[in-house]
Amino acid sequence: MLSQPDNTVTHADLVFCALTDWALVTAQGADATAYLQGQLTADLSLLPEHSHQLAAHCDAKGKMWSNLRIFHEGEGYCYLLRRSVREQQLTELKKYAVFSKVTLAADDSRAIIGVMGRHATAVLQQHFAQLPDATHPLVRVGTSILLWLATPENRYIVIAEPATAQALLNHAPAAVYDQQLWLAAEIAAGIPVIDSANSAQFIPQAANLQALGAISFKKGCYSGQEMVARAKYRGANKRALYWLSGSAMAAIAPGEAVELQMGDNWRKTGTVLCSVMHDECQLWVQVILNNDLDSEHLFRREGEAESELRIQPLPYSLDDA
């Protein structure tokens, strides 16, 4: 049996990451709420002013163009998603916007910084008069927006003007890491990372978004709603998102498969969303697999005889989702 992964993500003292692989989109105008209600899986009418919400944007077949993290801003909203899917997602989102008072646009005027580790709260308090927490997961301080994330512990997203972001990164240069460490935190948190290779491939439930509160089954119609509802009420979804960890010599690209041991043989299975080499030979993988697997199953990087990967526990349950 493999040992538990060395979770540097949650045990580091201080980590800053410039999240250039993530990007922002703004949706502004009098019809922003009504328009996005017809496009996203979450119920925006229930989104508090001082919070943020995971959601998915699906095609007519219920397959996700992307998942995203949305919050109120100005006369509308702003949301974060992976940069590689932003252009296509925004193109699809704009298709019917001509009939509504809403302006949808990419926003590269601000920087996105990830901050985490045991000392993250104390360091951010030196820069901002108020920080978000479990009660108020979003706060605005001047022109900056700070988001608090429940998992892993002590994790924040700072959306700020470039000068403010640079001042943060200059605070402790030794604590500035490659954003692959933030990607590892997303894997440990069980938050799906949908890049362009996997856009329009999976329904939200295949990526566990029902367990993350990203899907409303009570609000009105939205793009792909019929298929998303069928997956819940008719048991049409047979897949789930997993975290695999273990030994390997290299990362696995999004869209590729892993191998599952079946007796003396190995069979290709699943679709990798993202992966990170957590140290020289430890690989973390976020992968969508059949939803009937457990920690006894053994996986490996495709074609790598010395690789061993096992399912790790996620910080939520799919049992009642």
Side-chain angles (χ1 to χ4, degrees), residues 13-136:
D13 287 335
L14 183 64
V15 173
F16 287 95
C17 301
L19 302 181
T20 55
D21 285 347
W22 279 261
L24 297 171
V25 170
T26 57
Q28 298 294 314
D31 293 340
T33 297
Y35 186 72
L36 292 179
Q37 281 285 69
Q39 299 293 320
L40 305 182
T41 58
D43 188 348
L44 297 183
S45 70
L46 302 178
L47 177 60
E49 183 69 25
H50 297 291
S51 191
H52 49 88
Q53 168 76 56
L54 285 171
H57 176 215
C58 302
D59 64 16
K61 297 179 181 179
K63 304 293 182 66
M64 292 184 291
W65 293 113
S66 74
N67 62 324
L68 51 94
R69 187 177 298 277
I70 190 166
F71 51 89
H72 291 279
E73 184 175 61
E75 195 187 16
Y77 301 88
C78 182
Y79 61 82
L80 288 124
L81 76 172
R82 293 287 284 176
R83 185 173 295 275
S84 71
V85 297
R86 183 174 65 173
E87 182 177 355
Q88 181 64 42
Q89 189 270 339
L90 196 49
T91 297
E92 297 298 329
L93 191 63
K94 285 181 174 180
K95 278 188 174 179
Y96 307 105
V98 66
F99 304 111
S100 299
K101 295 178 181 178
V102 61
T103 301
L104 303 160
D107 178 10
D108 289 322
S109 67
R110 296 174 287 183
I112 308 166
I113 305 295
V115 186
M116 57 187 174
R118 284 188 292 258
H119 299 161
T121 301
V123 169
L124 287 176
Q125 285 173 336
Q126 299 175 33
H127 292 265
F128 300 100
Q130 183 183 5
L131 295 185
D133 54 26
T135 304
H136 294 90

Side-chain angles (χ1 to χ4, degrees), residues 247-253 256-259 266 277 283 299-309:
S247 60
M249 297 305 295
I252 307 173
E256 294 189 3
V258 293
E259 289 184 334
W266 294 85
M277 292 302 297
L283 176 65
F299 301 84
R300 72 180 186 185
R301 185 170 175 268
E302 185 179 349
E304 189 174 310
E306 300 302 314
S307 175
E308 291 188 6
L309 302 170

Side-chain angles (χ1 to χ4, degrees), residues 5-317:
D6 174 19
N7 198 342
T8 306
V9 169
T10 56
H11 293 104
D13 287 335
L14 183 64
V15 173
F16 287 95
C17 301
L19 302 181
T20 55
D21 285 347
W22 279 261
L24 297 171
V25 170
T26 57
Q28 298 294 314
D31 293 340
T33 297
Y35 186 72
L36 292 179
Q37 281 285 69
Q39 299 293 320
L40 305 182
T41 58
D43 188 348
L44 297 183
S45 70
L46 302 178
L47 177 60
E49 183 69 25
H50 297 291
S51 191
H52 49 88
Q53 168 76 56
L54 285 171
H57 176 215
C58 302
D59 64 16
K61 297 179 181 179
K63 304 293 182 66
M64 292 184 291
W65 293 113
S66 74
N67 62 324
L68 51 94
R69 187 177 298 277
I70 190 166
F71 51 89
H72 291 279
E73 184 175 61
E75 195 187 16
Y77 301 88
C78 182
Y79 61 82
L80 288 124
L81 76 172
R82 293 287 284 176
R83 185 173 295 275
S84 71
V85 297
R86 183 174 65 173
E87 182 177 355
Q88 181 64 42
Q89 189 270 339
L90 196 49
T91 297
E92 297 298 329
L93 191 63
K94 285 181 174 180
K95 278 188 174 179
Y96 307 105
V98 66
F99 304 111
S100 299
K101 295 178 181 178
V102 61
T103 301
L104 303 160
D107 178 10
D108 289 322
S109 67
R110 296 174 287 183
I112 308 166
I113 305 295
V115 186
M116 57 187 174
R118 284 188 292 258
H119 299 161
T121 301
V123 169
L124 287 176
Q125 285 173 336
Q126 299 175 33
H127 292 265
F128 300 100
Q130 183 183 5
L131 295 185
D133 54 26
T135 304
H136 294 90
L138 179 150
V139 298
R140 295 174 176 84
V141 182
T143 59
S144 300
I145 297 171
L146 289 81
L147 311 180
W148 174 83
L149 303 181
T151 53
E153 187 178 3
N154 288 349
R155 196 156 68 115
Y156 302 88
I157 296 173
V158 179
I159 300 168
E161 294 179 348
T164 301
Q166 192 58 53
L168 271 178
L169 295 176
N170 289 342
H171 179 95
V176 177
Y177 290 82
D178 185 275
Q179 61 190 313
Q180 288 290 295
L181 196 55
W182 188 266
L183 196 62
E186 296 286 273
I187 294 174
I191 299 172
V193 177
I194 304 297
D195 277 315
S196 56
N198 292 311
S199 182
Q201 298 299 311
F202 300 104
I203 63 171
Q205 290 98 321
N208 298 1
L209 283 174
Q210 74 280 17
L212 292 162
I215 308 171
S216 171
F217 295 100
K218 297 180 179 179
K219 74 168 191 168
C221 293
Y222 56 86
S223 178
Q225 184 263 344
E226 182 179 351
M227 298 304 296
V228 174
R230 181 179 299 175
K232 175 177 175 62
Y233 296 113
R234 298 187 182 179
N237 176 51
K238 303 299 181 185
R239 289 185 281 192
L241 179 146
Y242 291 84
W243 169 19
L244 305 182
S245 176
S247 60
M249 297 305 295
I252 307 173
E256 294 189 3
V258 293
E259 289 184 334
L260 169 65
Q261 186 176 39
M262 302 191 71
D264 294 330
N265 300 312
W266 294 85
R267 178 171 63 86
K268 285 179 61 174
T269 188
T271 303
V272 171
L273 298 188
C274 65
S275 70
V276 173
M277 292 302 297
H278 202 49
D279 58 30
E280 186 175 350
C281 59
Q282 186 182 64
L283 176 65
W284 287 15
V285 185
Q286 185 178 85
V287 58
I288 291 178
L289 300 162
N290 289 343
N291 60 10
D292 58 354
L293 300 169
D294 57 40
S295 59
E296 297 303 311
H297 289 89
L298 180 63
F299 301 84
R300 72 180 186 185
R301 185 170 175 268
E302 185 179 349
E304 189 174 310
E306 300 302 314
S307 175
E308 291 188 6
L309 302 170
R310 290 200 185 267
I311 294 171
Q312 304 299 324
L314 292 173
Y316 52 75
S317 172

